Every structure is written in structure tokens, then in C-alpha cells.
Coordinates of all heavy atoms in Angstrom, one line a residue:
P238 N 2.0 -21.9 -6.6 CA 2.6 -20.8 -5.8 C 4.1 -20.6 -6.2 O 4.6 -19.5 -5.9 CB 2.6 -21.3 -4.3 CG 1.4 -22.2 -4.3 CD 1.5 -22.9 -5.6
M239 N 4.8 -21.5 -6.8 CA 6.2 -21.3 -7.2 C 6.2 -20.2 -8.2 O 7.2 -19.4 -8.3 CB 6.8 -22.6 -7.8 CG 7.0 -23.6 -6.8 SD 7.5 -25.2 -7.5 CE 9.2 -24.8 -7.8
L240 N 5.2 -20.0 -9.0 CA 5.1 -18.9 -10.0 C 4.3 -17.7 -9.4 O 4.7 -16.6 -9.4 CB 4.5 -19.3 -11.3 CG 4.3 -18.2 -12.3 CD1 5.7 -17.6 -12.7 CD2 3.6 -18.7 -13.5
L241 N 3.2 -18.0 -8.8 CA 2.3 -16.9 -8.3 C 2.9 -16.1 -7.2 O 2.6 -14.9 -7.1 CB 0.9 -17.5 -7.9 CG 0.1 -18.2 -9.0 CD1 -1.2 -18.8 -8.5 CD2 -0.2 -17.1 -10.2
S242 N 3.7 -16.7 -6.4 CA 4.3 -16.0 -5.3 C 5.2 -14.8 -5.8 O 5.5 -13.9 -5.0 CB 5.1 -16.9 -4.4 OG 6.2 -17.5 -5.0
T243 N 5.7 -14.9 -7.0 CA 6.5 -13.8 -7.5 C 5.7 -12.6 -7.9 O 6.3 -11.6 -8.2 CB 7.3 -14.3 -8.8 OG1 6.4 -14.6 -9.8 CG2 8.2 -15.5 -8.5
F244 N 4.4 -12.7 -7.8 CA 3.5 -11.6 -8.1 C 2.9 -11.0 -6.8 O 2.1 -10.1 -6.9 CB 2.4 -11.9 -9.1 CG 3.0 -12.3 -10.4 CD1 3.1 -13.6 -10.8 CD2 3.4 -11.3 -11.3 CE1 3.7 -14.0 -12.0 CE2 4.0 -11.7 -12.5 CZ 4.1 -13.0 -12.9
S245 N 3.3 -11.5 -5.7 CA 2.8 -10.9 -4.4 C 3.9 -10.4 -3.6 O 5.0 -10.9 -3.7 CB 2.0 -12.0 -3.6 OG 2.8 -13.1 -3.3
H246 N 3.6 -9.4 -2.8 CA 4.6 -8.8 -2.0 C 4.1 -8.5 -0.6 O 2.9 -8.3 -0.4 CB 5.1 -7.5 -2.6 CG 6.0 -7.7 -3.8 ND1 5.4 -8.0 -5.1 CD2 7.3 -7.8 -4.0 CE1 6.4 -8.2 -5.9 NE2 7.5 -8.1 -5.3
F247 N 5.0 -8.4 0.4 CA 4.6 -8.2 1.8 C 4.1 -6.8 2.1 O 3.2 -6.6 2.9 CB 5.8 -8.5 2.7 CG 5.6 -8.4 4.1 CD1 4.8 -9.3 4.8 CD2 6.1 -7.3 4.8 CE1 4.6 -9.2 6.1 CE2 5.9 -7.2 6.2 CZ 5.1 -8.1 6.8
S248 N 4.7 -5.8 1.4 CA 4.3 -4.5 1.7 C 4.6 -3.6 0.4 O 5.2 -4.1 -0.5 CB 5.2 -3.9 2.8 OG 6.5 -3.8 2.4
L249 N 4.1 -2.4 0.5 CA 4.3 -1.5 -0.6 C 5.8 -1.2 -0.8 O 6.2 -1.1 -2.0 CB 3.5 -0.2 -0.4 CG 3.5 0.8 -1.5 CD1 2.9 0.2 -2.8 CD2 2.7 2.1 -1.2
F250 N 6.5 -1.0 0.3 CA 7.9 -0.8 0.2 C 8.7 -2.0 -0.5 O 9.5 -1.8 -1.3 CB 8.5 -0.6 1.6 CG 10.1 -0.4 1.5 CD1 10.6 0.8 1.0 CD2 10.9 -1.4 1.9 CE1 12.0 1.0 1.0 CE2 12.3 -1.3 1.8 CZ 12.8 -0.1 1.4
H251 N 8.3 -3.2 -0.1 CA 8.8 -4.5 -0.7 C 8.6 -4.5 -2.2 O 9.5 -4.7 -3.0 CB 8.2 -5.7 0.0 CG 8.7 -7.0 -0.5 ND1 7.9 -8.2 -0.4 CD2 9.8 -7.4 -1.0 CE1 8.6 -9.2 -0.9 NE2 9.8 -8.7 -1.2
M252 N 7.4 -4.2 -2.6 CA 7.1 -4.1 -4.0 C 7.8 -3.0 -4.8 O 8.4 -3.2 -5.8 CB 5.6 -4.0 -4.3 CG 5.2 -4.1 -5.7 SD 3.5 -4.1 -6.0 CE 3.1 -2.4 -5.9
A253 N 7.9 -1.8 -4.1 CA 8.6 -0.7 -4.7 C 10.1 -1.0 -4.9 O 10.6 -0.7 -6.0 CB 8.3 0.6 -3.9
A254 N 10.7 -1.6 -3.9 CA 12.1 -1.9 -4.0 C 12.4 -2.9 -5.2 O 13.3 -2.7 -6.0 CB 12.6 -2.4 -2.7
N255 N 11.6 -3.9 -5.2 CA 11.7 -4.9 -6.3 C 11.5 -4.3 -7.7 O 12.2 -4.6 -8.6 CB 10.8 -6.1 -6.1 CG 11.4 -7.1 -5.2 OD1 12.6 -7.2 -5.0 ND2 10.5 -7.9 -4.6
M256 N 10.4 -3.5 -7.8 CA 10.1 -2.9 -9.1 C 11.2 -1.9 -9.5 O 11.4 -1.7 -10.7 CB 8.7 -2.3 -9.1 CG 7.6 -3.3 -8.9 SD 7.6 -4.6 -10.1 CE 8.2 -6.0 -9.2
Y257 N 11.8 -1.2 -8.6 CA 12.8 -0.2 -8.9 C 14.0 -0.9 -9.5 O 14.6 -0.5 -10.5 CB 13.2 0.6 -7.7 CG 14.4 1.5 -8.0 CD1 14.2 2.7 -8.7 CD2 15.7 1.2 -7.6 CE1 15.3 3.5 -9.1 CE2 16.8 2.0 -7.9 CZ 16.5 3.1 -8.7 OH 17.6 3.9 -9.0
V258 N 14.4 -2.0 -8.9 CA 15.5 -2.8 -9.4 C 15.2 -3.4 -10.8 O 16.0 -3.3 -11.7 CB 16.0 -3.9 -8.4 CG1 17.1 -4.8 -9.0 CG2 16.5 -3.3 -7.1
L259 N 14.0 -3.9 -10.9 CA 13.6 -4.5 -12.2 C 13.6 -3.4 -13.3 O 14.1 -3.6 -14.4 CB 12.2 -5.1 -12.1 CG 11.7 -5.7 -13.4 CD1 12.6 -6.9 -13.9 CD2 10.3 -6.3 -13.2
W260 N 13.1 -2.2 -13.0 CA 13.0 -1.1 -13.9 C 14.4 -0.7 -14.3 O 14.7 -0.4 -15.4 CB 12.3 0.1 -13.3 CG 12.3 1.3 -14.1 CD1 11.6 1.6 -15.2 CD2 13.1 2.4 -13.9 NE1 11.9 2.8 -15.7 CE2 12.8 3.4 -14.9 CE3 14.0 2.8 -12.9 CZ2 13.5 4.6 -15.0 CZ3 14.7 4.0 -13.0 CH2 14.4 4.9 -14.0
S261 N 15.4 -0.7 -13.3 CA 16.7 -0.2 -13.5 C 17.5 -1.1 -14.5 O 18.3 -0.6 -15.3 CB 17.5 -0.2 -12.2 OG 17.0 0.7 -11.3
F262 N 17.2 -2.4 -14.5 CA 17.9 -3.3 -15.3 C 17.1 -3.8 -16.5 O 17.6 -4.6 -17.4 CB 18.3 -4.6 -14.5 CG 19.4 -4.2 -13.6 CD1 19.2 -3.8 -12.3 CD2 20.8 -4.3 -14.0 CE1 20.2 -3.5 -11.4 CE2 21.8 -4.0 -13.1 CZ 21.6 -3.6 -11.8
S263 N 15.8 -3.4 -16.6 CA 14.9 -4.0 -17.7 C 15.4 -3.6 -19.1 O 15.3 -4.5 -20.0 CB 13.5 -3.6 -17.4 OG 13.3 -2.2 -17.5
S264 N 15.8 -2.4 -19.3 CA 16.1 -2.0 -20.7 C 17.4 -2.8 -21.1 O 17.4 -3.2 -22.3 CB 16.3 -0.5 -20.8 OG 17.4 -0.1 -19.9
S265 N 18.3 -3.0 -20.2 CA 19.5 -3.8 -20.6 C 19.2 -5.2 -20.9 O 19.7 -5.8 -21.9 CB 20.5 -3.7 -19.4 OG 20.9 -2.4 -19.2
I266 N 18.3 -5.9 -20.1 CA 18.0 -7.3 -20.3 C 17.2 -7.5 -21.5 O 17.4 -8.4 -22.3 CB 17.4 -7.9 -19.0 CG1 17.4 -9.5 -19.1 CG2 16.0 -7.5 -18.8 CD1 18.8 -10.1 -19.0
V267 N 16.3 -6.5 -21.8 CA 15.4 -6.7 -23.0 C 16.3 -6.5 -24.2 O 16.1 -7.1 -25.2 CB 14.2 -5.7 -22.9 CG1 13.5 -5.6 -24.3 CG2 13.3 -6.2 -21.9

């Protein structure tokens, strides 16, 4: 669960907020 919990989210809003931040910074980090 230390890894698998990072792929589950409480709600669609929770997932959308996390994915937006990841998308915003992904090109820079890559």
C-alpha cells in the first residue's frame, strides 16, 4: 500500500486536483 495508495483517490475532484498539479509541472521535471 505504500506504493499502491498513490494510485487511488478519494473522489474525482481529489484526483483532478492532483493530476492538474502533476500535469503543470511534468514537462519541467521530465
Side-chain angles (χ1 to χ4, degrees):
M239 291 173 76
L240 177 63
L241 296 176
S242 65
T243 64
F244 295 102
S245 61
H246 289 82
F247 180 73
S248 65
L249 187 59
F250 177 77
H251 182 206
M252 186 174 79
N255 276 339
M256 294 305 104
Y257 175 76
V258 175
L259 181 61
W260 174 78
S261 297
F262 288 90
S263 62
S264 60
S265 297
I266 195 70
V267 170

